[in-house]
């Protein structure tokens, strides 16, 4: 169980900022506020922690640039506004982070990118590489190519899925509210802030409000749902007031700000359970005794050098079973190479992959974070 005093030691944050905070009532970006949050994230990054930013605001910025006063209803108009506004949004973040000597990278995702196994692994590898380089990924929904409508609260959900993807230690949802209350504070002056609770508390469904502003998309309902998604990989969530003074820095010091939603399981147990619940085996790898021992007893990644045989047809990102030489299943996980590639590199050291295949995706066949013991 995470508590406030443990937050200062967390190393990887996903921070989501909503449209209601980023825009001046629909009249362009609130650049002073944006710079304020960036300064705090930059301090976190230069202190050695990873920060991933999920930002709304592209549609609102596009509306401001076009002089539109009302949010469009037609999908193609929303997508056009997102395409226009994305230019200003990314430039604003780039300018602010560069003032602190930090590079940024734009990453546009759809839910399909995280549902498809191959694209999931590609996105995961890219984000991990960016973080290793000390770069701040700025993530947004790829609205201009989405095949479904821009849905209610998409970026709350996207932030939670990103937290799953990179195994974040903390998800922070910045909002224009002080946190989650036991009653709607707009209608009841006696409403009390909920400082912390379990994310699966059924009372959350009763107290969360589904309000929607003119320029934003989402209320507390979407934030509670997002927190539950993040909890699948053991990530706690804080719903915090974005307009608060030094709110991110104060969260980083463990101060009691907003509402902390706590997952029931720790990160490793939750992530393994999440993976196990989604696994559908597409092939089998026969491991030698050394590989079996390394995976089962030492918790290592699966390397190609320990694979004796490859069975079935699968593509990168699909699930394969790992069995010993008697056929007993040892583990299963998401594989980094397809069946033909795996056949070519089985029994070979990782250093030889590039000479055999002409490229190197990953040094491991299955990374230990994507491997579930049976």
């Amino acid at each position: 169980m995470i508590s406030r005093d443990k937050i200062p030691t967390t190393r990887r944050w996903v921070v989501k900022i909503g449209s209601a905070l980023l825009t001046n009532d629909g009249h362009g970006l609130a650049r002073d506020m944006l710079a304020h949050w960036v300064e705090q994230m930059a301090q976190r990054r230069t202190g050695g922690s990873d920060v991933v930013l999920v930002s709304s605001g592209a549609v609102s910025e596009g509306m401001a640039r076009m002089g539109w006063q009302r949010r469009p209803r037609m999908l193609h108009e929303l997508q056009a506004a997102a395409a226009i506004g994305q230019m200003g949004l990314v430039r604003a973040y780039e300018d602010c982070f560069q003032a602190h000597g930090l590079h940024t990278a734009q990453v546009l995702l759809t839910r399909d990118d995280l549902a498809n196994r191959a694209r999931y692994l590609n996105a995961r590898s890219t984000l991990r590489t960016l973080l290793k380089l000390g770069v701040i990924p700025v993530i947004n929904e790829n609205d201009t190519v989405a095949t479904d409508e821009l849905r209610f609260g998409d970026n709350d959900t996207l932030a939670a899925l990103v937290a799953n993807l990179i195994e974040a230690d903390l998800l922070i949802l910045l909002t224009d509210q002080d946190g989650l209350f036991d009653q709607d504070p707009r209608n009841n002056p006696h409403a009390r802030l909920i400082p912390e609770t379990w994310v699966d508390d059924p009372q959350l469904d009763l107290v969360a409000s589904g309000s929607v502003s003119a320029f934003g998309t989402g209320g507390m309902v979407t934030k509670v749902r997002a927190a539950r998604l993040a909890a699948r990989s053991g990530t706690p969530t804080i719903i915090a007031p974005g307009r608060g003074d030094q709110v991110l820095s104060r969260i980083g010091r463990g101060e009691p700000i907003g509402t902390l939603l706590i997952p029931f399981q720790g990160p490793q147990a939750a992530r393994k359970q999440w993976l196990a619940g989604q696994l559908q085996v597409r092939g089998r790898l026969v491991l030698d005794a050394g590989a079996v021992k390394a995976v089962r007893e030492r918790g290592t990644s699966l390397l190609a050098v320990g694979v004796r045989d490859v069975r079935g047809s699968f593509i990168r990102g699909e699930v394969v079973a790992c069995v010993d030489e008697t056929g007993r299943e040892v583990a299963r996980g998401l594989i980094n190479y397809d069946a033909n590639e795996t056949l070519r590199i089985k029994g070979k050291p990782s250093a030889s992959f590039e000479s055999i295949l002409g490229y190197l995706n990953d040094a491991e066949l299955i990374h230990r974070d994507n491997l579930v013991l049976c």
Side-chain angles (χ1 to χ4, degrees):
M1 170 180 170
I2 191 167
S3 58
R4 298 278 186 177
D5 62 341
K6 300 291 186 183
I7 289 173
T9 64
T10 56
R11 303 291 295 175
R12 181 169 292 175
W13 285 10
V14 173
V15 178
K16 185 265 179 178
I17 306 176
S19 293
L21 294 172
L22 279 164
T23 59
N24 294 308
D25 294 326
H27 302 293
L29 295 173
R31 295 179 184 271
D32 289 346
M33 289 297 298
L34 190 148
H36 181 62
W37 295 311
V38 165
E39 179 183 15
Q40 296 168 72
M41 287 184 279
Q43 290 172 352
R44 190 81 188 171
R45 173 59 262 180
T46 54
S49 296
D50 294 332
V51 178
V52 175
L53 173 61
V54 177
S55 178
S56 300
V59 171
S60 297
E61 171 68 1
M63 290 170 55
R65 290 186 168 206
M66 298 303 294
W68 298 348
Q69 298 300 312
R70 294 185 179 179
R71 185 179 176 87
R73 294 184 178 180
M74 301 298 293
L75 175 60
H76 62 273
E77 292 177 338
L78 283 166
Q79 291 177 320
I84 296 165
Q86 195 68 35
M87 302 294 291
L89 183 67
V90 170
R91 181 174 179 177
Y93 278 121
E94 183 179 38
D95 290 346
C96 287
F97 277 110
Q98 282 189 343
H100 298 278
L102 293 171
H103 291 293
T104 54
Q106 181 185 28
V107 180
L108 296 176
L109 295 172
T110 65
R111 294 191 190 189
D112 285 345
D113 293 323
L114 302 184
N116 178 279
R117 292 302 187 189
R119 282 185 282 174
Y120 171 95
L121 286 181
N122 287 338
R124 177 185 171 89
S125 296
T126 299
L127 287 174
R128 284 190 162 199
T129 300
L130 290 171
L131 293 174
K132 286 180 182 178
L133 294 171
V135 174
I136 306 289
V138 180
I139 300 177
N140 202 346
E141 178 87 5
N142 195 354
D143 295 331
T144 58
V145 300
T147 56
D148 51 354
E149 293 186 333
L150 302 182
R151 290 184 297 272
F152 186 74
D154 255 357
N155 276 350
D156 288 329
T157 301
L158 180 60
L161 293 175
V162 170
N164 291 152
L165 182 70
I166 65 168
E167 299 165 64
D169 297 312
L170 184 65
L171 170 62
I172 300 174
L173 302 177
L174 294 182
T175 177
D176 56 355
Q177 304 288 326
D178 287 338
L180 187 61
F181 288 79
D182 62 354
Q183 300 178 63
D184 190 338
R186 298 166 302 175
N187 302 324
N188 189 335
H190 302 295
R192 293 180 298 176
L193 179 71
I194 301 171
E196 63 180 62
T197 188
W198 296 107
V199 71
D200 287 339
D201 185 346
Q203 290 298 312
L204 294 179
D205 298 306
L206 301 177
V207 303
S209 170
S211 62
V212 182
S213 70
F215 298 98
T217 57
M220 288 299 169
V221 167
T222 65
K223 288 169 178 55
V224 169
R225 290 174 182 165
R228 287 171 175 165
L229 283 174
R232 296 189 311 183
S233 54
T235 303
T237 297
I238 293 179
I239 302 172
R243 294 193 177 96
D245 182 44
Q246 294 290 319
V247 61
L248 294 176
S249 297
R250 291 163 62 197
I251 288 173
R253 293 193 293 267
E255 293 186 26
I257 296 174
T259 299
L260 172 62
L261 300 179
I262 307 165
F264 277 101
Q265 292 180 306
Q268 288 302 315
R271 178 169 173 76
K272 297 296 186 182
Q273 183 180 47
W274 171 61
L275 283 171
Q278 296 195 32
L279 302 186
Q280 184 176 0
V281 174
R282 299 293 184 182
R284 302 173 86 78
L285 305 179
V286 180
L287 312 187
D288 63 26
V292 170
K293 184 175 182 179
V295 167
R296 297 187 71 173
E297 297 181 16
R298 298 201 300 272
T300 65
S301 299
L302 176 64
L303 302 179
V305 71
V307 176
R308 297 179 61 87
D309 195 13
V310 180
R311 300 169 185 172
S313 178
F314 50 85
I315 62 174
R316 170 177 164 85
E318 289 190 323
V319 178
V320 297
C322 303
V323 301
D324 63 19
E325 295 182 82
T326 69
R328 183 178 60 181
E329 188 170 349
V330 175
R332 53 178 62 180
L334 306 180
I335 194 158
N336 290 323
Y337 292 88
D338 66 28
N340 289 331
E341 294 167 330
T342 306
L343 276 169
R344 294 169 64 187
I345 60 177
K346 71 179 178 67
K348 302 292 194 300
S350 303
S352 67
F353 289 3
E354 190 166 3
S355 63
I356 296 172
L357 301 175
Y359 52 85
L360 174 67
N361 279 340
D362 295 275
E364 310 90 358
L365 272 184
I366 304 176
H367 192 277
R368 62 184 180 183
D369 291 339
N370 293 324
L371 195 64
V372 180
L373 296 179
C374 297

